[in-house]
Amino acid sequence: MVILEKDNFEEEVLNSKGLVIVDFWSDGCEPCKALMPEVEALAEKYEGKVKFCKLNITKARRLAISQRVMGLPTILLYKDGAKIEEVTKDEAKAANIEAMIEKHI
Amino acid sequence: MENLYDVVIIGAGPAGLAAGLYSARAKMKTLILEKDKAGGQIVTTNEVANYPGSIDDATGPSLVARMVEQAESFGAERKKDEIVKVELQDKIKVVTGEKDVYKAKVVIIATGASPRYLGVPGERELTGKGVSYCATCDADFFTDLEVYVIGGGDTAVEEAMYLTKFARKVTVVHRRDELRAAKSIREKAFNNEKMAFIWDSVVEEIKGDGIVEKLVLKNKKTGEITEIDAPEEDGTFGIFPFVGYIPKSELFKDFLETDKGGYLITDPDMKTAVPGVFAAGDIRHKSLRQVVTAVADGAIAAVQAEKYIENTFEN
Ligand SMILES: Cc1cc2nc3c(=O)[nH]c(=O)nc-3n(C[C@H](O)[C@H](O)[C@H](O)COP(=O)(O)OP(=O)(O)OC[C@H]3O[C@@H](n4cnc5c(N)ncnc54)[C@H](O)[C@@H]3O)c2cc1C
């Protein structure tokens, strides 16, 4: 998975063609850490079709808020740089992330 | 029978982890099933001051990490799966998850509770968009912003004080004219310069376009409606409701006895009315729902499970 920071978010996500998944997480967020291995497994499954990225919001809070993310875990799906769908909190489960991808692939 | 467990525990909160520790240590083949993170509700808080014997500055996650380590060191297995169906009446119990089916001689129900929603318009739509029930997950977002905490009990006031470490200002909105929280907690809160209070008020609605922008309150005594808008320079603020809990007993309430609130009834040995089915922790009807009572329940359930298996299966 591509590790996002303030400096590369625009290039890797907003200026990127095709489908991009961004996993928003933080050091304090236990549900995020429980979910991460499943997102990594999806990244492998969809390799070459969907770009998977993760952003630790602890150092990029304003960036996350600019994407209208204010709660964790949240997974956003972008297409050609535009946010098209998301799952958050209780809905942020592997099965729902996969369903979201399948809808747009 | 292949893959028959002695004890299957549903839920890896403090109650389930303690049951797992005791059960595995008694050499029973033990599986703990958890739908998301291990630890349950307590990993949503950074302030656990009242668990006896814990290290200074224990947090929910640090406390739970050690419980998991202990349970696993005695051989308890853990698996991530959400249980969607149970058949518990027969001697061999069948527990069905989204991923797999599990069989066991004993089932310990430790599914705990979840936060009660306010049930107002906008709340569900704006969860994760400024509305949060998990301080450890989301406190970071509110650094230098304003936060409203809804509720007046211990949890509400303690979480509000924790949030003052991040937020510019934290306002507690309570439906009565005094806090229900314990005196020691109240005093700290009143002395905290970043805290403010709105009394006699309930939330009517939460509004915002993709992010929280407005909180509508109603004064219960005067009927007056107040609209609180996000400060212009911030554009948003946080809302943390802590107004009680609801038990996660839907899977069981058709065949196990519950109290009016939906909590499962057990005897002092954690037995339900169905042989081989025990309940432990916040899911039970009891007077104090804390980590210390959850782990005690778990230990008792596991020891009673061992006795039950001895009497029922080995003769
Ligand atoms: C914000 C907050 C602050 C708190 N502060 C304190 C404190 O300072 N001190 C203290 O002692 N207590 C505190 N508590 C209370 C304490 O967290 C609970 O009493 C304790 O966690 C109860 O443990 P439990 O194992 O019974 O249930 P829970 O912690 O609720 O755990 C139940 C687990 O079961 C899982 N589960 C449920 N249904 C299923 C299913 N169908 N399939 C698979 N898994 C399932 C859940 O995901 C969860 O992980 C606090 C609670 C909150 C919310």
Side-chain angles (χ1 to χ4, degrees), chain B residues 60 161 263 267 284 288:
Chain B
M161 281 193 286
Y263 292 93
D267 75 0
R284 276 182 65 227
L288 180 66

Side-chain angles (χ1 to χ4, degrees), chain B residues 287-304:
Chain B
S287 63
L288 180 66
R289 291 198 179 84
Q290 290 275 282
V291 175
V292 68
T293 59
V295 296
D297 285 2
I300 294 168
V303 170
Q304 292 301 322

Side-chain angles (χ1 to χ4, degrees), chain B residues 44-113:
Chain B
T44 66
T45 180
N46 253 317
E47 306 274 285
V48 189
N50 55 3
Y51 184 65
S54 58
I55 53 155
D56 211 11
D57 285 335
T59 67
S62 73
L63 205 58
V64 158
R66 180 66 189 130
M67 288 185 197
V68 170
E69 207 173 81
Q70 274 176 298
E72 288 186 338
S73 76
F74 291 113
E77 287 172 49
R78 281 199 306 130
K79 201 164 162 186
K80 190 171 171 191
D81 200 354
E82 176 158 0
I83 302 312
V84 291
K85 194 175 132 202
V86 291
E87 292 144 277
L88 305 179
Q89 306 289 348
D90 295 338
K91 205 167 154 191
I92 300 296
K93 324 278 178 210
V94 183
V95 172
T96 306
E98 279 179 343
K99 297 182 183 157
D100 219 334
V101 178
Y102 313 90
K103 290 184 178 160
K105 297 173 185 168
V106 160
V107 167
I108 299 176
I109 301 167
T111 48

Side-chain angles (χ1 to χ4, degrees), chain A residues 26-31 34-35 38 57-58 61-62 64-65 67-74 76 83 86 88-90 93, chain B residues 36-37 43 61 80 82 98-99 117 124 127-130 132 134 136-138 140-145 209-211 213 236:
Chain A
S26 79
D27 300 315
C29 172
E30 297 298 322
L35 180 67
E38 294 179 280
I57 70 103
T58 312
R61 186 172 51 84
R62 277 175 211 285
I65 296 177
Q67 300 301 301
R68 311 239 122 177
V69 173
M70 290 207 81
L72 298 180
T74 292
L76 297 190
K83 186 167 112 177
E86 67 182 284
T88 186
K89 293 279 171 190
D90 290 349
K93 295 197 270 187
Chain B
D36 41 67
K37 77 270 172 197
V43 299
K80 190 171 171 191
E82 176 158 0
E98 279 179 343
K99 297 182 183 157
Y117 299 127
R124 304 306 297 143
T127 294
K129 306 277 156 201
S132 176
C134 177
T136 53
C137 303
D138 298 334
D140 269 339
F141 284 109
F142 303 100
T143 306
D144 297 330
L145 297 181
D209 181 13
I211 206 161
E213 289 163 346
T236 187

Side-chain angles (χ1 to χ4, degrees), chain B residues 182-237:
Chain B
K183 189 162 176 245
S184 60
I185 298 172
R186 281 199 315 259
E187 279 172 359
K188 270 201 198 144
F190 291 137
N191 287 327
N192 187 322
E193 283 176 2
K194 279 185 165 183
M195 298 255 298
F197 298 86
I198 297 177
W199 303 112
D200 297 315
S201 296
V202 293
V203 177
E204 285 278 295
E205 189 172 356
I206 300 168
K207 291 185 182 172
D209 181 13
I211 206 161
V212 168
E213 289 163 346
K214 191 194 279 281
L215 175 64
V216 183
L217 300 179
K218 182 181 180 181
N219 185 301
K220 287 188 56 168
K221 285 194 177 148
T222 64
E224 191 189 342
I225 300 282
T226 310
E227 298 199 350
I228 299 170
D229 289 295
E232 204 151 332
E233 67 275 22
D234 299 337
T236 187
F237 55 88

Side-chain angles (χ1 to χ4, degrees), chain B residues 298-313:
Chain B
I300 294 168
V303 170
Q304 292 301 322
E306 188 185 11
K307 285 199 178 137
Y308 166 83
I309 289 175
E310 263 171 31
N311 294 335
T312 316
F313 288 86

